[in-house]
């Protein structure tokens, strides 16, 4: 069972470069989301989606773009990387988001360093 | 808005000791409450949940009771094991945004 798959596991970027973090789930979940995890700050929501074609901003969306063209995939794009975006990024999905109390299923994370 | 206050860590316990990790929250509406656990190098995974007042969630010997009057959801385990060493996150949920505490790191020593 694949669950939520994130690629790459590690990435180093130079300031100003762009890249896309990939996230795919095979559970037919409606809801997908991206978090960043920083020491002492827990997890903070970047963007989320409640279905294909629908996205919305979370707590810390600046510097990131998302799209949801299929149910399975939810890529996160960094348009012009900055050192402040050095973090561990997690993709998570759930059956229905806030409806029906369904929990989140997480990928194993992408560790991004911006120099 | 929603927020979570979680017990500061790190916490170090000897094997078979009793564990409590405190969690209090503020939320609009009537949240569902979750505890997640993160083992080293992995993503978070659901530990237990409770969806209404006085419900008790339980899993792997861990328990937490939904206390609406005190807006708390404290995590407890009667006898911890070395394999319980991990980071624990409290997470209330209302609507489409899940909120996480800062996490409490637990180390259990033999």
């Amino acid at each position: 069972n694949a669950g939520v798959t994130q690629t790459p596991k590690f990435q180093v970027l130079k300031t100003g470069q762009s890249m896309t973090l990939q996230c795919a789930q095979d559970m037919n979940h409606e809801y997908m989301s991206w978090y960043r995890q920083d020491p002492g700050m827990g997890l903070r929501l970047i963007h989320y989606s409640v279905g294909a074609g629908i996205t919305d901003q979370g707590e810390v969306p600046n510097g990131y773009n998302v799209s949801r063209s299929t149910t399975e995939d939810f890529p996160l794009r960094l348009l012009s990387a900055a050192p402040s975006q050095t973090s561990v990024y997690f993709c998570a999905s759930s059956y229905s988001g806030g409806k029906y109390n369904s929990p989140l299923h997480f990928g194993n994370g992408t560790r991004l360093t911006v120099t | 808005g929603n927020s979570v206050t979680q017990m500061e860590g790190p916490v170090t316990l000897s094997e078979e000791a009793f564990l409590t990790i405190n969690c209090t929250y503020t939320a609009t509406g009537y949240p569902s409450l979750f505890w997640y656990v993160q083992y080293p190098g992995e993503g978070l995974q659901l530990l237990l949940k409770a969806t209404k007042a006085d419900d008790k969630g339980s899993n792997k010997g861990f328990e937490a009771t939904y206390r609406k009057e005190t807006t708390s959801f404290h995590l407890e385990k009667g006898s911890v094991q070395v394999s319980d060493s991990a980071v624990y996150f409290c997470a209330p949920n209302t609507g489409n945004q899940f909120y996480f505490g800062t996490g409490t790191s637990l180390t259990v020593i033999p």
Side-chain angles (χ1 to χ4, degrees), chain A residues 31 35 37 40-43 45 48 50 57-59 90 94 96-98 100-104 106-108, chain B residues 31-32 34 36 38 41-46 49 51 87 89 93-103:
Chain A
Y31 180 94
Y35 290 85
Q37 184 178 28
M41 303 192 75
L43 277 78
L45 181 64
Y48 66 95
V50 297
Q57 296 181 349
E59 185 184 358
F90 288 99
S94 78
S96 61
Y100 313 126
N101 308 310
S102 51
L104 289 171
F106 283 82
N108 282 334
Chain B
S32 298
F34 300 83
Y36 288 84
Q38 184 180 29
E42 298 183 9
L44 282 70
Q45 54 186 273
L46 177 68
K49 72 175 187 180
T51 59
V87 182
F89 293 88
N93 168 238
T94 56
N96 285 317
Q97 299 205 26
F98 293 76
Y99 293 85
F100 288 85
T102 53

Side-chain angles (χ1 to χ4, degrees), chain B residues 12-79:
Chain B
T12 302
L13 294 174
S14 297
E15 208 165 22
E16 299 185 2
F18 183 85
L19 169 71
T20 300
I21 301 178
N22 291 337
C23 171
T24 57
Y25 64 90
T26 59
T28 55
Y30 199 138
S32 298
L33 302 176
F34 300 83
W35 276 99
Y36 288 84
V37 58
Q38 184 180 29
Y39 299 103
E42 298 183 9
L44 282 70
Q45 54 186 273
L46 177 68
L47 180 61
L48 53 83
K49 72 175 187 180
T51 59
K52 60 183 190 294
D54 300 324
D55 264 3
K56 179 184 286 188
S58 61
N59 186 25
K60 299 181 181 180
F62 291 89
E63 294 182 338
T65 300
Y66 191 139
R67 301 290 187 198
K68 192 169 189 297
E69 65 278 10
T70 56
T71 62
S72 64
F73 192 52
H74 305 321
L75 183 68
E76 296 182 336
K77 186 174 186 182
S79 175

